């Protein structure tokens, strides 16, 4: 008996699994940096989030496929179709949580919400409307006050005078950390530049002494992941740069074209993590290249604008918001085939 | 002269799997051939012979029917055993003229033409039943009489499909003959400019044509470089307007094998009764290029190549656009470039997984379409929306989208479904 199918009869060996594995590999530097900077708590959060994400998917699959009839077959089928997407979701969620959240139940709840409600309830891989990790993070953010306080990295800023500045700064309340002072928009940024930068751009880049979520502080590690993703052809290199660049430039424009604001806006908060790993999520971004450009520019404008207006770190909210608009972008942009000739409009009578 | 091609960034890069194309061997004499009546685009030919009648090699056995059709000729001398309905190897049945080989092989070719006029060439091409041998099988005498004036003839030797080497073998060994055929086609078209387009993975063929003093365009090895519209763009920088013929861009593209057939028809009077067929794949003992009479059954070709082993899939044509076969009762037609015996390792038998919307299908589409949208709307049976949001009607069915899909979704299949449904509607 011969195998019959329509052409083509050969296919690339690169499957969804490989792509997801590449994303996981690209996140490794940021994960390692997070564990080094924030200690064992970070490792626990990451482990719990990963385990909960995979378990949620597993349990969902078992129930969906009526495991009580034939458990062995269903478990085997699950292992065969497992494509690492829930691992990516779990890891991304953990990387967007602060390391000092009290209790292991928070990453667990976040993962269950992200995978169970946001992904599986909508139909599983490829069917979710919003990015599960972002939705999970925002779910935790609006549920727990602990999510709004970020610890600083174990290593102090590289430049010692900065340290003394932010410890003794009159404008900074005790609960404030330099990172959220930096990232929370206009007033803080204004304070910053009226006195003296609290953290040097180099510290922001390396994440030393920066307070923030586990995975977002070390920009160097994130950029290493970004380069890996580009080299492996997982993401288009210009899209994250578009988001980051537009955010920086619009922030500069909002501050009256003071270009000194560019690097702090770009390097603070979750912008780089969001731009490289969250906004580029295939499922929740537009299908066409032009649509993607529109989406990423809109994200940049929204992020800079909302940062200024709300005085909060808003990258995850912006991505969530834009996720809901993706279907409109997809409907608005129609392909122009090779050899397309613009139809001449009939002359008006 | 070597002409630099225009860059073309879409498409996919495929592993070649091409064995070195040497001289093509002749298939051993066959006891019987089954010549299909429909081996070209357009209406099937009408048989003009009866069972029991003896025919010589090259005699016309079926006549073209209608404006777009082609004559069919006997590929061996012998006795017509009947006009039979038999499996075509693609899961269907079709009409064939069966000829049993006679004791002696006598040829009945047309008289050779010397210094023919334009009309004589076109008549000869029609009389010899020549069709486009790249795969589509469009009758050449129709294609060489375009509705609008053209200025360039492109000889398509790109052979961008993996595995196949039949055109490469022809270009290396029959360079002069191919060029003479091209000259006759230029004369029939009334054009002065000839471009020979060859992918860079065939350096011998490029060198052979360059040495003959003709304009060669060495193309980047990228699938689907040999597709008509993409080829025209790379060679001349012209874009064929959507829904128009290549002639509207002033270009006619012909396969190198067609050029060789034209040479044989004009100078030898030999109709299109033979062609080079690549028999290859991991499931065949000795991959070969064989000169086969039209109507030769695949089983005879497989035997000439040492037999098959572990082949799970048979394909007529290239792996990207060819048709899967149900068995070795398929026969060689005028458009058959090759037969592939693919092993389970080479071909893809995995189940599709959900679409993750990665957009790779749109990135590789040489027509800049959105295959994922076609699949989405076709699954919902909304074919109008498929046309609106994916531009499916412009698809050239190259299969690059299905190839690249990491979720292994049968995108090309959805596209073919959508196109068929859209054409069926009034």
């Amino acid at each position: 008996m011969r195998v019959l199918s329509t052409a083509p009869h050969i296919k690339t060996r690169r499957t969804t699994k490989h792509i997801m594995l590449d994303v996981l590999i690209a996140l490794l530097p940021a994960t390692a940096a997070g564990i080094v900077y924030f200690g064992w708590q970070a490792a626990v959060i990451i482990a719990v989030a990963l385990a909960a994400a995979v378990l949620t998917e597993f349990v969902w699959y078992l129930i969906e496929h009526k495991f009580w009839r034939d458990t062995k077959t269903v478990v085997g089928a699950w292992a065969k179709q497992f494509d690492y997407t829930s691992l990516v979701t779990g890891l991304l969620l953990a990387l967007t949580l602060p390391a000092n959240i009290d209790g292991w139940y928070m990453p667990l709840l976040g993962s269950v919400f992200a995978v169970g409600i946001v992904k599986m309830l909508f139909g599983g891989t490829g069917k979710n409307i919003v990015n599960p990790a972002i939705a999970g993070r925002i779910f935790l953010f609006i549920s727990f006050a602990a999510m709004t306080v970020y610890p600083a990295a174990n290593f102090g800023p590289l430049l010692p005078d900065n340290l003394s500045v932010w410890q003794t700064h009159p404008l900074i309340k005790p609960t404030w950390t330099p990172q959220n002072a930096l990232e929370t928009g206009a007033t803080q940024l204004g304070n910053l530049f009226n006195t003296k930068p609290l953290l040097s751009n180099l510290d922001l880049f390396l994440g030393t002494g920066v307070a923030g979520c586990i995975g977002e502080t070390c920009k160097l590690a994130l950029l290493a992941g970004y380069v890996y993703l580009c080299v492996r052809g997982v993401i288009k290199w210009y899209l994250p740069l578009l988001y980051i660049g537009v955010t920086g430039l619009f922030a500069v424009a909002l501050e009256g074209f003071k270009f000194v604001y560019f690097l702090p806006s770009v390097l603070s908060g979750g912008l780089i993590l969001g731009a490289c790993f969250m906004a580029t999520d295939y499922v929740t971004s537009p299908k066409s290249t032009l649509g993607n450009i529109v989406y990423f520019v809109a994200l940049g404008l929204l992020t800079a604008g909302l940062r200024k207006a709300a005085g909060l770190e808003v990258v995850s909210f912006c991505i969530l918001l834009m996720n809901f608009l993706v279907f409109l972008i997809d409907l608005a942009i129609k392909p122009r085939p090779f050899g397309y000739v613009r139809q001449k409009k009939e002359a008006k009578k | 002269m070597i002409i630099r091609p225009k860059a073309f960034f879409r498409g996919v890069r495929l592993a070649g799997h091409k064995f070195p194309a040497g001289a093509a061997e002749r298939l051993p004499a066959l006891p019987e051939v089954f010549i299909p009546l429909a081996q070209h685009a357009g209406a099937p030919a009408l048989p003009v012979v009866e069972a029991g009648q003896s025919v010589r090699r090259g005699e016309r056995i079926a006549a073209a029917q209608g404006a777009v059709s082609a004559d069919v000729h006997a590929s061996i001398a012998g006795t017509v055993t009947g006009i039979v309905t038999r499996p075509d190897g693609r899961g269907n049945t079709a009409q064939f003229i069966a000829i049993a080989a006679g004791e002696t092989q006598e040829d009945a070719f047309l008289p050779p033409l010397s210094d023919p006029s334009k009309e004589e060439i076109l008549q000869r091409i029609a009389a010899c039943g020549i069709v486009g041998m790249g795969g589509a099988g469009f009758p050449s005498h129709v294609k060489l009489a375009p509705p609008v004036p053209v200025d360039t003839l492109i000889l398509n030797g790109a052979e961008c499909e993996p595995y196949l080497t039949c055109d490469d073998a022809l270009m290396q060994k029959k360079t002069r003959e191919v060029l003479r055929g091209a000259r006759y086609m230029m004369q029939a078209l009334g054009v002065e400019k000839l471009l020979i387009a060859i992918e860079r993975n065939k350096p011998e063929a490029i060198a052979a044509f360059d040495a003959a003093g003709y304009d060669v365009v060495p193309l980047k090895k990228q699938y689907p470089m040999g597709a008509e519209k993409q080829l025209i763009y790379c060679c001349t920088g012209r874009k064929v307007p959507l829904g128009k013929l290549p002639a509207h861009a002033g270009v006619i593209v012909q396969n190198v094998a067609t050029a060789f057939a034209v040479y044989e028809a004009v100078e030898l009077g030999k109709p299109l009764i033979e062609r080079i067929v690549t028999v290859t794949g991991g499931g065949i003992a000795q991959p070969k290029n064989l000169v086969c009479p039209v109507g030769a059954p695949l089983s005879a070709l497989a035997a000439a190549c040492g037999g098959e082993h572990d082949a799970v899939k048979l394909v007529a044509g290239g792996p990207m656009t060819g048709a899967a076969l149900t068995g070795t009762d398929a026969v060689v037609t005028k458009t058959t470039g090759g037969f592939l015996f693919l092993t389970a390792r080479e071909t893809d038998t995995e189940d599709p997984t959900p679409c993750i919307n990665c957009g790779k299908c749109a990135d590789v589409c040489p027509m800049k379409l959105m295959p994922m949208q076609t699949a989405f709307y076709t699954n919902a049976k909304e074919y109008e929306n498929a046309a609106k949001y994916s531009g499916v009607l412009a698809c050239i069915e190259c299969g690059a989208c299905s190839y690249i899909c990491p979720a292994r979704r049968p995108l090309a299949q959805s596209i073919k479904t959508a196109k068929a449904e859209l054409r069926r509607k009034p």
Side-chain angles (χ1 to χ4, degrees):
Chain A
M1 192 56 213
R2 309 288 182 176
V3 178
L4 290 177
S5 74
T6 48
H9 306 290
I10 50 174
K11 287 201 170 189
T12 173
R13 301 218 173 272
R14 198 164 152 75
T15 60
T16 307
K17 251 185 195 179
H18 296 108
I19 291 175
M20 293 304 154
L21 200 58
D22 274 342
V23 176
L24 287 175
I25 292 171
L27 282 169
L28 277 183
T31 311
I35 294 173
V36 169
Y37 284 2
F38 298 105
W40 60 271
Q41 277 176 308
V44 170
I45 289 172
I46 291 168
V48 170
L50 282 175
V54 175
L55 264 177
T56 309
E57 202 199 56
F58 180 61
V59 170
W60 187 287
Y61 189 89
L62 289 190
I63 296 169
E64 187 187 357
H65 290 82
K66 304 193 171 86
F67 70 97
W68 50 87
R69 287 186 187 161
D70 186 358
T71 312
K72 213 178 155 186
T73 320
V74 173
V75 172
W78 176 81
K80 195 164 180 284
Q81 64 86 49
F82 181 62
D83 52 11
Y84 307 140
T85 45
S86 48
L87 281 176
V88 172
T89 300
L91 186 56
L92 275 175
L93 175 68
L95 293 184
T96 53
L97 299 180
N100 65 337
I101 50 174
D102 44 341
W104 50 271
Y105 61 90
M106 279 167 58
L108 179 102
L109 273 180
S111 270
V112 170
F113 180 81
V115 175
I117 309 288
V118 180
K119 191 174 102 180
M120 300 312 283
L121 194 61
F122 281 84
T125 304
K127 303 291 194 299
N128 46 296
I129 293 164
V130 297
N131 188 322
I134 295 233
R137 177 194 146 87
I138 289 173
F139 169 73
L140 293 178
F141 189 84
I142 57 179
S143 307
F144 301 101
M147 284 287 295
T148 52
V149 182
Y150 303 102
N154 288 335
F155 307 128
L158 292 177
L159 305 173
D161 61 335
N162 280 339
L163 189 69
S164 58
V165 168
W166 71 259
Q167 278 175 341
T168 58
H169 202 281
L171 285 171
I172 296 174
K173 293 173 197 163
T175 53
W176 282 9
T177 62
Q179 175 58 15
N180 89 23
L182 248 179
E183 79 188 20
T184 47
T187 51
Q188 281 77 14
L189 275 172
N191 287 341
L192 264 155
F193 290 109
N194 287 338
T195 53
K196 201 180 173 185
L198 296 173
L199 286 168
S200 67
N201 287 331
L202 179 68
D203 280 325
L204 277 178
F205 183 68
L206 294 175
T208 43
V210 175
C213 300
I214 295 167
E216 73 182 19
T217 58
C218 185
K219 310 303 184 292
L220 182 65
L222 288 170
L223 288 181
Y226 159 77
V227 170
Y228 178 79
L229 286 185
C230 292
V231 169
R232 297 288 292 162
V234 176
I235 59 172
K236 297 192 176 91
W237 62 271
Y238 50 86
L239 292 177
L241 295 188
L242 204 59
Y243 183 5
I244 296 166
V246 168
T247 305
L249 290 177
F250 194 50
V252 164
L254 288 176
E255 299 296 337
F257 293 98
K258 289 182 191 150
F259 279 91
V260 72
Y261 285 85
F262 184 81
L263 277 178
S265 330
V266 161
L267 291 174
S268 55
L271 179 61
I272 294 183
L273 177 65
C276 297
F277 294 94
M278 305 282 217
T280 53
D281 171 32
Y282 288 148
V283 181
T284 54
S285 57
K287 299 178 199 300
S288 59
T289 305
L290 184 61
N292 265 313
I293 291 172
V294 170
Y295 174 75
F296 276 78
V297 169
L299 268 175
L301 295 176
L302 200 61
T303 304
L306 278 186
R307 267 184 176 177
K308 167 109 181 165
L312 278 169
E313 177 51 11
V314 290
V315 169
S316 50
F317 286 94
C318 291
I319 296 176
L320 186 76
L321 198 62
M322 285 304 293
N323 280 347
F324 287 112
L325 302 180
V326 161
F327 83 99
L328 286 178
I329 298 176
D330 276 339
L331 285 181
I333 291 171
K334 298 186 187 69
R336 287 198 172 171
F338 181 72
Y340 176 85
V341 187
R342 188 183 281 275
Q343 299 287 320
K344 278 179 192 158
K345 281 180 186 165
E346 305 247 332
K348 281 177 190 171
K349 280 176 188 175
Chain B
M1 203 173 85
I2 301 284
I3 292 179
R4 241 184 82 124
K6 257 205 169 318
F8 168 67
F9 292 103
R10 297 193 178 220
V12 286
R13 285 194 186 170
L14 304 175
H17 294 292
K18 293 182 191 248
F19 64 90
E25 278 178 38
R26 191 158 279 281
L27 187 72
L30 295 165
E32 191 170 29
V33 292
F34 299 93
I35 302 171
L37 291 173
Q39 32 181 327
H40 45 256
L46 266 188
V48 293
V49 289
E50 286 166 2
Q53 191 176 331
S54 70
V55 289
R56 285 174 297 168
R57 186 162 166 265
E59 214 173 297
R60 191 173 78 152
I61 52 173
Q65 193 184 191
V68 179
S69 186
D71 287 349
V72 178
H73 302 80
S75 57
I76 59 173
T79 318
V80 176
T81 48
I83 292 146
V84 295
T85 304
R86 70 188 280 281
D88 63 355
R90 300 180 186 197
N92 246 326
T93 55
Q95 295 261 299
F96 294 79
I97 297 177
I99 301 174
E103 297 284 307
T104 52
Q105 288 292 318
E106 252 184 274
D107 290 349
F109 292 168
L110 298 165
L113 295 176
S114 59
D115 200 12
S117 70
K118 182 179 169 176
E119 285 71 27
E120 280 175 332
I121 296 173
L122 283 176
Q123 273 169 12
R124 177 52 65 91
I125 289 172
C128 286
I130 294 175
V131 301
M133 289 166 78
F138 196 78
S140 294
H141 62 279
V142 183
K143 197 171 177 179
L144 288 173
V148 287
V150 295
D151 57 15
T152 308
L153 173 69
I154 298 178
L155 268 197
N156 185 357
E159 202 165 50
C160 56
E161 283 259 16
Y163 289 94
L164 301 186
T165 53
C166 55
D167 288 351
D168 193 11
L170 186 75
M171 288 189 289
Q172 283 182 38
K173 300 293 168 194
K174 306 279 184 193
T175 316
R176 283 170 172 281
E177 290 83 347
V178 168
L179 285 169
R180 290 169 87 142
R183 280 262 152 229
Y184 292 122
M185 289 201 281
M186 286 162 73
Q187 201 185 334
L189 286 168
V191 303
E192 287 300 313
K193 195 170 167 195
L194 173 68
L195 294 172
I196 299 146
I198 306 173
E199 268 194 5
R200 281 198 200 120
N201 57 352
K202 293 175 268 291
E204 297 93 346
I206 294 174
F209 282 104
D210 192 33
Y214 283 82
D215 290 346
V216 183
V217 190
L219 299 164
K220 190 170 154 194
K221 188 181 165 298
Q222 183 110 338
Y223 181 86
M225 198 49 102
E228 211 165 39
K229 290 176 181 182
Q230 282 66 30
L231 189 76
I232 291 170
Y233 180 73
C234 289
C235 291
T236 64
R238 298 179 200 169
K239 288 184 184 176
V240 180
L242 213 56
K244 294 278 171 67
L245 294 170
H248 290 107
V251 183
I252 293 287
V253 180
Q254 289 282 9
N255 189 273
V256 285
T258 317
F260 183 70
V262 169
Y263 153 78
E264 285 195 323
V266 174
E267 295 201 358
L268 308 177
K270 183 179 167 188
L272 180 48
I273 53 172
E274 277 182 347
R275 69 159 297 147
I276 303 181
V277 178
T278 306
V279 183
T280 182
I284 196 87
Q286 300 149 349
K288 274 180 191 173
N289 277 317
L290 293 168
V291 180
C292 302
V294 168
L298 176 54
S299 48
L301 273 66
C305 292
E308 61 169 297
H309 57 87
D310 313 324
V312 296
K313 199 174 205 178
L314 299 188
V315 178
M320 294 298 283
T321 57
L325 300 175
T326 51
T328 50
D329 43 11
V331 299
V332 173
T333 69
K334 292 174 184 176
T335 55
T336 308
F339 286 111
L340 311 180
F341 291 79
L342 298 177
T343 57
R345 234 186 86 74
E346 289 171 288
T347 186
D348 172 77
T349 49
E350 276 180 53
D351 287 337
T353 56
C355 171
I356 54 167
N357 194 25
C358 64
K360 289 194 189 301
C361 48
D363 289 345
V364 301
C365 179
M367 293 303 291
K368 303 186 182 178
L369 309 178
M370 308 259 284
M372 77 294 251
Q373 295 276 50
T374 317
F376 179 75
Y377 287 111
T378 304
N379 287 348
K381 296 194 164 47
E382 294 179 15
Y383 304 111
E384 262 86 33
N385 279 338
K388 190 171 162 194
Y389 293 112
S390 70
V392 62
L393 286 173
C395 176
I396 57 169
E397 298 183 17
C398 67
C401 47
S402 286
Y403 172 83
I404 205 72
C405 181
R408 312 195 152 240
R409 300 198 67 76
L411 295 164
Q413 189 176 337
S414 303
I415 289 170
K416 283 169 194 168
T417 310
K419 281 171 84 173
E421 290 290 335
L422 284 164
R423 284 198 183 129
R424 206 168 63 179
K425 285 183 181 152

